[in-house]
Amino acid sequence: PIDDLEQHFEHTIEKDQRIEPRDWVPEGYRKTMIRQIAQHAHSEIIGMQPEGNWITRAPSLRRKAILLAKVQDEAGHGLYLYSAAETLGADRGDLTEKLINGRQKYSSIFNYPTLSFADVGAIGWLVDGAAICNQVPLCRSSYGPYARAMIRICKEESFHQRQGYELLMTMMKGTQAQRDMVQDAVNRFWWPSLMMFGPPDAESANTAQSMAWKIKRHTNDELRQRFVDMTVPQAEALGVTLPDPELKWNPERGHYDFGQVDWDEMKQVVAGNGPCNAERIARRRQAHEDGAWVREAAAAHARKRAEASA
Ligand code: 3HC
């Protein structure tokens, strides 16, 4: 009976245990899990574009090899997460359609251009650093397949973050022109990285329910603060200034105070009016169309195999 199933679900969540694909879940849980996992996967796949832009123009073979490995990792994270979404009954082709026709989102951060190779470092250090802050707690998310995907992904993200920081440190030890490139990249990526954590808790439509169901283990503002606290000392060690005059250690709070994120900019970018939204979606649509023959061939082959064994 439904109330036994409901009780089992509540009990599992309450005891910090994992919900697995075969378990009954409230429809709202399934919906919000598919929403979050699919958009996370979309972010990984779209995220390949800004960095991929520099693979053919990396300044050395070493940098090219590192960047190739990182972009390949992002593709793998996307596929891993689409598989997790499929355990909830989602269809990967349908999710791709929803991404391409704007019915599902991906992280706003990937709608900014990568103007110099220092951006590759800034993305590794700041964007993957923010991703780590956001994804480590998700390793304890209540939905089993998602939490387990996060454990694997977080290991690779820490390589992404370290290579970015090392790239920037190398450039900071270079010429003044290289130091200026690093500072310029940091100026352009700092605030958009803070937007990755979502709107303020007070304006977050999903946080309360996601916390109740232990999908999220911390709120948007808590993780944003954690990222700022972690990153300011790294910026000092790097020798760059973060573009926020209000950034200041607050001994009472035991955290850094920081300025106001430009929420209108975030709303605009999420709504599709960021610098690169059209280009990112057009590239994704093109890649999907270019790959249609592979999907058709695989389906034809599967049909033949099924007929042969019938
Ligand atoms: N970009 C685009 N959309 C965003 C956003 C952003 N930066 N921040 C919030 N949103 C959307 C939410 O998806 C939600 O819209 P929806 O209801 O249509 O999905 C709306 O804005 C309100 O936000 P909420 O805070 O209510 O939504 P959530 O509770 O889902 O919180 C989140 C947003 C913190 C991104 C959460 O979904 C999450 O933790 N997702 C998993 C992690 C993730 O997706 N990270 C994205 C980057 S992936 C990455 O960086 C890969 C790395 O390799 C570089």
Side-chain angles (χ1 to χ4, degrees):
I2 203 85
D3 43 13
D4 288 358
L5 292 168
E6 198 132 30
Q7 215 171 39
H8 175 73
F9 171 79
E10 298 294 347
H11 197 59
T12 308
I13 300 281
E14 202 185 295
K15 290 182 54 184
D16 266 352
Q17 284 170 2
R18 291 272 159 75
I19 302 289
E20 295 298 337
R22 64 183 173 282
D23 292 335
W24 177 89
V25 296
E27 217 23 57
Y29 183 88
R30 181 182 310 284
K31 226 167 128 258
T32 204
M33 272 322 310
I34 290 175
R35 172 190 66 83
Q36 175 157 336
I37 299 175
Q39 293 182 153
H40 195 159
H42 296 333
S43 303
E44 301 278 5
I45 296 298
I46 296 289
M48 293 164 69
Q49 291 188 37
E51 296 181 301
N53 190 17
W54 282 93
I55 289 177
T56 55
R57 296 181 288 161
S60 70
L61 186 58
R62 176 170 175 269
R63 292 290 174 206
K64 185 199 283 273
I66 292 174
L67 187 53
L68 264 175
K70 180 176 188 303
V71 172
Q72 197 176 344
D73 282 350
E74 313 292 9
H77 295 173
L79 299 185
Y80 228 56
L81 288 165
Y82 285 130
S83 303
E86 284 173 333
T87 66
L88 285 160
D91 168 79
R92 182 185 302 237
D94 174 51
L95 297 181
T96 301
E97 280 309 311
K98 286 196 169 84
L99 166 66
I100 289 173
N101 54 42
R103 297 214 334 272
Q104 277 187 336
K105 299 179 168 77
Y106 60 93
S107 187
S108 52
I109 188 68
F110 298 123
N111 290 309
Y112 291 85
T114 43
L115 304 177
S116 85
F117 194 72
D119 290 24
V120 172
I123 288 175
W125 174 40
L126 296 175
V127 174
D128 289 84
I132 289 169
C133 271
N134 165 282
Q135 289 169 177
V136 165
L138 291 174
C139 295
R140 292 184 296 116
S141 184
S142 57
Y143 188 57
Y146 189 42
R148 289 188 290 273
M150 281 302 113
I151 293 169
R152 157 80 180 279
I153 286 173
C154 285
K155 288 191 174 72
E156 293 176 340
E157 291 292 9
S158 45
F159 147 67
H160 297 173
Q161 205 253 4
R162 280 195 188 77
Q163 65 80 33
Y165 194 69
E166 188 264 340
L167 188 162
L168 295 179
M169 191 62 92
T170 306
M171 290 185 76
M172 289 304 281
K173 295 191 173 97
T175 62
Q176 187 53 48
Q178 287 175 310
R179 284 194 290 279
D180 294 347
M181 280 166 76
V182 172
Q183 185 60 60
D184 170 56
V186 170
N187 291 344
R188 286 183 286 108
F189 275 92
W190 172 247
W191 290 104
S193 297
L194 297 191
M195 295 173 196
M196 288 172 66
F197 293 94
D201 294 348
E203 289 162 44
S204 163
N206 299 295
T207 290
Q209 183 60 70
S210 290
M211 292 289 284
W213 278 333
K214 297 186 184 172
I215 295 168
K216 269 182 172 178
R217 307 298 290 215
H218 299 280
T219 70
N220 299 357
D221 289 330
E222 283 166 8
L223 292 179
R224 193 176 357 258
Q225 180 67 65
R226 184 179 290 185
F227 172 67
V228 172
D229 292 347
M230 178 187 94
T231 308
V232 172
Q234 293 171 354
E236 283 160 7
L238 197 54
V240 293
T241 54
L242 295 171
D244 176 1
E246 294 175 50
L247 199 55
K248 187 169 170 305
W249 178 252
N250 180 326
E252 279 78 57
R253 287 180 60 228
H255 293 290
Y256 283 91
D257 292 337
F258 57 97
Q260 188 63 343
V261 177
D262 182 343
W263 300 116
D264 289 341
E265 176 181 327
M266 179 178 165
K267 284 192 185 93
Q268 280 302 320
V269 177
V270 174
N273 309 319
C276 301
N277 296 56
E279 172 193 339
R280 302 288 187 238
I281 292 298
R283 287 274 297 276
R284 184 69 196 87
R285 180 194 313 278
Q286 190 58 52
H288 190 58
E289 285 163 7
D290 291 352
W293 70 272
V294 178
R295 293 190 293 278
E296 281 150 27
H301 180 65
R303 267 196 305 281
K304 258 206 216 121
R305 292 271 300 266
E307 279 150 21
S309 61

